[in-house]
Amino acid sequence: MSRSDIRYWNRKAELMPREELLKGQLRDLKTTVKMALKTAFYSKRLAEAGITSPEDITSLKDLTKIPFTTKDDLRSSYPYGMLAVPKEEVIRLHASSGTTGIPTVIYHTEEDIENWTELTARSMAATGVTRADVFQNMMSYGLFTGGLGLHYGAERLGALVIPAGAGNTKRQFKLMRDFQTTVVHATPSYLLHLYSKLEEEELRVSELSLKKALAGAEPYSENIRKKIENLFGIDVYNSYGLSEMNGPGVAFECVFKSGMHVWEDAFLLEVIDPHTLKPLYDGDEGELVFTTLKRSATPLLRYRTRDLSRVFPDDCICGRVHRRIERIKGRTDDMLIINGVNIFPSQIEEVIMKMPEVGTNYQIVVEKAGALDRITVKTEVGAKIFSDDTRDLNKIKEKIKNNLRASISISPVVELHEPGMLPVSEGKAVRVIDVRPRERD
Ligand code: AMP
Ligand code: ZN
């Protein structure tokens, strides 16, 4: 990569001096606080912290006066407790993937969608995508933000967009071949899965026109990136986002692939120690915390992502003013990401423990099956049931599977065990055994 490969989408926003960026952040933080005070949730939360007007924020340092916001706060304000504008002004909502029961919902006004679109267009342009590209979006469309998020950005760029959605490998290949797709957007595990299916489809990489993949929604290592790049002979760019901060388009790699630029004119970034909650310096690893700067419908202040990373202290060769974060190291909580879908073990527990046939103990095993994640739910059943006909056992297995699929959209392998056969730990129960390799760079 050389300087001639650098393409800016919005030179003013990407190259402004740092002082100007910080000035804009303070102005937009005040507006965000003003909007937040209109919500049922923040008017109370901020008042408790002594903030009743945007004038209580006079510098960016005052950010630390503002309490953190968590996923639980979003859940407890469901459905409309975090809405800052009249419902008539909202044109769309998204909800976090995998979370049913009480999802976390984010609302958008027309202007919010416009700002998000600009950010995703900017992100894609930073990787070199242009209007000459054919962009096949393999992320799921719907409440999950991955599909629609980059879809709008790619259209804004003027690329030819194929809204393929997730899954259906056969069709993905057909679309790729017929329309000479040059850029795809998918989870890294799906890209590996795709490669493993090439042979079955009697297809060779050389028959494809693929040049780039934008990969995100789940953690992956530098080695996985290289593997995908080598297998397909393409460039892979890391894309980071979360539905609470719109979705994709929060942080993106540029052509130099040396960390992801956080679009700091739209998101105020902090890295905190997840235990002491104190802000950390650039270079120190901690939990990412974001404040929305450009969103009216659902302003979020100091949102704790639970994602672990650090800020690179040096500047990127591309010259963008926006600081870069390292690829995500992991999460501070127990959320599992199964093929890009977020699942809390507690959600599985909730579903299976509702069933009278299921005993008291259960275990969740997550492993790799080829390129994809496989989840196995092991449960104990009552002794009486176990001595019965195996046909009954199969029925229970099916029922567990169906209930999990219906309520949290996962299709696990289900294993039934006799009472007392699953391990019981002495301290805290170990419910999840995640044996997926954690590749370190
Ligand atoms: P969701 O709100 O469903 O979009 O899920 C967002 C979460 O997915 C983030 O908080 C991260 O834990 C994870 N995630 C998204 N993009 C990446 C990425 N590029 N690398 C690692 N984890 C990611
Ligand atoms: Zn850069």
Side-chain angles (χ1 to χ4, degrees):
M1 284 300 152
S2 71
R3 286 194 147 271
S4 62
D5 294 303
I6 305 174
R7 277 198 187 79
Y8 304 107
W9 173 252
N10 179 339
R11 295 185 78 90
K12 189 171 176 310
E14 291 170 67
L15 298 172
M16 69 179 118
R18 185 105 202 137
E19 308 79 67
E20 198 180 314
L21 177 77
L22 298 179
K23 233 170 97 186
Q25 283 186 330
L26 178 60
R27 179 197 61 222
D28 293 342
L29 174 62
K30 285 175 140 188
T31 309
T32 301
V33 167
K34 186 173 151 207
M35 293 308 291
L37 285 166
K38 294 181 196 229
T39 68
F41 170 79
Y42 279 119
S43 55
K44 188 161 174 275
R45 175 65 66 89
L46 290 176
E48 282 162 10
I51 300 167
T52 52
S53 138
E55 299 314 314
D56 291 325
I57 306 294
T58 55
S59 82
L60 285 174
K61 286 206 184 85
D62 287 340
L63 191 63
T64 53
K65 287 191 202 163
I66 299 174
F68 292 105
T69 307
T70 63
K71 217 176 180 77
D72 278 344
D73 291 330
L74 276 163
R75 291 214 175 97
S76 64
S77 319
Y78 180 85
Y80 285 119
M82 292 259 189
L83 185 59
V85 298
K87 232 189 281 175
E88 294 75 17
E89 287 179 29
V90 177
I91 63 161
R92 200 197 297 170
L93 66 78
H94 279 283
S96 182
S97 64
T99 51
T100 50
I102 302 180
T104 55
V105 186
I106 300 297
Y107 301 93
H108 300 275
T109 63
E110 199 175 341
E111 199 187 350
D112 293 341
I113 295 289
E114 167 61 25
N115 289 335
W116 182 17
T117 299
E118 277 295 304
L119 291 176
T120 50
R122 189 198 289 180
S123 302
M124 294 176 78
T127 69
V129 178
T130 70
R131 54 183 300 113
D133 279 301
V134 178
F135 172 69
Q136 189 166 328
N137 197 358
M138 300 180 176
M139 287 286 193
S140 63
Y141 281 69
L143 288 177
F144 176 58
T145 55
L148 283 169
L150 283 205
H151 180 101
Y152 273 57
E155 283 189 350
R156 177 63 53 91
L157 263 179
L160 166 52
V161 182
I162 308 176
N168 200 340
T169 317
K170 232 181 164 62
R171 196 182 58 175
Q172 300 285 8
F173 281 135
K174 182 165 170 47
L175 293 169
M176 284 171 89
R177 192 160 45 180
D178 293 354
F179 299 108
Q180 286 128 47
T181 300
T182 54
V183 184
V184 293
H185 176 213
T187 60
S189 47
Y190 190 69
L191 290 170
L192 287 171
H193 175 68
L194 210 57
Y195 187 82
S196 71
K197 294 284 174 192
L198 266 176
E199 223 165 64
E200 246 174 63
E201 299 298 320
E202 292 175 1
L203 199 65
R204 280 192 310 271
V205 167
S206 58
E207 292 174 68
L208 301 174
S209 311
L210 202 60
K211 283 195 265 181
K212 291 183 183 45
L214 314 177
E218 65 186 14
Y220 63 114
S221 65
E222 193 58 41
N223 289 337
I224 292 284
R225 182 226 298 267
K226 290 204 180 100
K227 194 168 172 180
I228 302 170
E229 289 191 326
N230 293 336
L231 289 172
F232 284 102
I234 58 171
D235 285 303
V236 174
Y237 297 97
N238 199 357
S239 152
Y240 170 78
L242 57 158
S243 51
E244 292 83 353
M245 296 294 128
N246 299 343
V250 176
F252 234 89
E253 279 181 338
C254 69
V255 286
F256 295 102
K257 296 182 195 164
S258 58
M260 299 178 280
H261 289 280
V262 173
W263 303 126
E264 293 186 86
D265 53 336
F267 306 101
L268 198 52
L269 164 68
E270 296 172 86
V271 181
I272 62 161
D273 179 322
H275 305 290
T276 64
L277 307 183
K278 293 265 178 296
L280 297 172
Y281 292 105
D282 283 3
D284 293 342
E285 186 177 301
E287 181 180 342
L288 301 176
V289 170
F290 292 107
T291 297
T292 61
L293 291 174
K294 297 254 190 272
R295 202 167 60 201
S296 329
T298 323
L300 286 186
L301 300 167
R302 306 191 85 199
Y303 182 73
R304 290 188 59 185
T305 64
R306 306 278 173 180
D307 290 324
L308 295 169
S309 178
R310 68 190 178 99
V311 171
F312 286 117
D314 57 331
D315 293 332
C316 185
I317 311 170
C318 74
R320 288 181 176 86
V321 63
H322 308 268
R323 286 178 301 168
R324 292 158 300 140
I325 51 169
E326 195 174 35
R327 66 176 59 245
I328 308 298
K329 277 278 162 62
R331 294 183 52 84
T332 59
D333 61 16
D334 57 0
M335 188 179 86
L336 294 166
I337 301 184
I338 312 288
N339 298 320
V341 174
N342 300 350
I343 295 169
F344 285 91
S346 57
Q347 292 178 277
I348 295 175
E349 180 176 329
E350 218 177 270
V351 174
I352 60 174
M353 286 300 153
K354 250 193 239 160
M355 300 176 57
E357 301 89 338
V358 170
T360 51
N361 205 359
Y362 73 95
Q363 202 175 52
I364 299 161
V365 180
V366 189
E367 60 206 325
K368 278 277 175 202
L372 294 178
D373 300 323
R374 178 171 61 204
I375 182 159
T376 305
V377 175
K378 302 179 177 185
T379 68
E380 291 179 3
V381 290
K384 228 178 102 228
I385 294 170
F386 212 88
S387 59
D388 279 342
D389 197 329
T390 52
R391 275 175 303 187
D392 288 341
L393 289 178
N394 284 338
K395 260 192 223 154
I396 297 173
K397 268 194 201 176
E398 271 313 301
K399 191 173 162 192
I400 294 175
K401 224 176 163 160
N402 290 340
N403 286 358
L404 285 168
R405 191 183 300 128
S407 48
I408 50 174
S409 313
I410 58 164
S411 297
V413 176
V414 175
E415 263 181 41
L416 299 182
H417 292 260
E418 281 183 68
M421 291 315 285
L422 286 177
V424 181
S425 73
E426 288 182 355
K428 280 177 192 289
V430 181
R431 300 292 197 196
V432 180
I433 298 173
D434 194 342
V435 292
R436 288 176 292 184
R438 285 196 112 207
E439 297 213 22
R440 292 273 166 220
D441 300 324

